[in-house]
Amino acid sequence: MIVDSASLSEAIDTRTVVTGLKADTKEEVFEDLAQRLHDAGYIDSVDEFLKALHEREAQGATGIGEHVAIPHGRSDTVKRNGVAIAILDHEIEWESLDDTGAKVVVLFAVGADDEGSKRHLQLLSEFARKLAKADVVHDLLQASSQDQVVAALTK
């Protein structure tokens, strides 16, 4: 299955998108986005999902450069795959490929089954293609509303 901008826009739930997030640490970003995923019905347990995020982070950098990070957690607590997006009000420290911190965080909640993993890889691929474009990152860094985030990622 090929993921395109139309299905990407379907994957973005504005209930799990935040702009101007005031956070000083990766942990604060994780807690905020995990709570949003929980409140929107994507995960059963914030604590279990946070544990999965930390396990993945321990394996290596999730910052892809240009102030963008794409962390993910794979867990049985994920009821359905989802994505949560934060545009931070300032750059925070984050391990990355180019040694920049993060200001855009695209966090994936991935089901532990094979189908969940397959769908996640498709979405990750499409998000990575979008986030590799300088104009998309620029628009995300300037976004001040959920609609602007969706527009930047689906144009």
Side-chain angles (χ1 to χ4, degrees):
M1 176 176 132
I2 295 175
V3 179
D4 57 18
S5 291
S7 56
L8 193 62
S9 66
E10 292 170 11
I12 302 170
D13 183 339
T14 56
R15 297 174 298 169
T16 62
V17 175
V18 58
T19 59
L21 181 64
K22 294 177 183 347
D24 293 318
T25 66
K26 183 189 299 189
E27 184 63 27
E28 289 174 354
V29 175
F30 284 170
E31 288 172 3
D32 183 280
L33 293 180
Q35 188 63 55
R36 289 173 194 277
L37 287 164
H38 178 268
D39 293 348
Y42 290 90
I43 62 174
D44 285 325
S45 168
V46 169
D47 290 338
E48 287 300 311
F49 186 66
L50 288 172
K51 196 180 306 180
L53 284 172
H54 292 299
E55 288 171 5
R56 170 55 189 92
E57 287 295 304
Q59 295 174 13
T62 55
I64 61 171
E66 300 298 321
H67 309 288
V68 177
I70 51 172
H72 64 277
R74 184 174 185 212
S75 172
D76 288 327
T77 196
V78 177
K79 294 193 284 191
R80 60 190 171 112
N81 283 7
V83 62
I85 302 169
I87 310 302
L88 309 181
D89 73 339
H90 67 280
E91 181 180 330
I92 64 169
E93 188 174 311
W94 203 291
E95 299 80 19
S96 70
L97 300 177
D98 67 356
D99 294 323
T100 62
K103 193 170 177 194
V104 174
V105 179
V106 180
L107 183 148
F108 293 92
V110 184
D113 63 353
D114 288 340
E115 188 57 36
S117 294
K118 182 179 173 187
R119 176 73 178 137
H120 161 70
L121 290 174
Q122 293 164 340
L123 276 176
L124 177 62
S125 174
E126 183 61 24
F127 271 101
R129 273 197 294 280
K130 292 287 185 176
L131 294 167
K133 298 178 180 177
D135 61 324
V136 171
V137 174
H138 176 268
D139 290 352
L140 287 171
L141 290 170
Q142 302 302 313
S144 60
S145 73
Q146 296 161 324
D147 290 339
Q148 289 175 339
V149 171
V150 173
L153 288 166
T154 59
K155 67 177 183 178

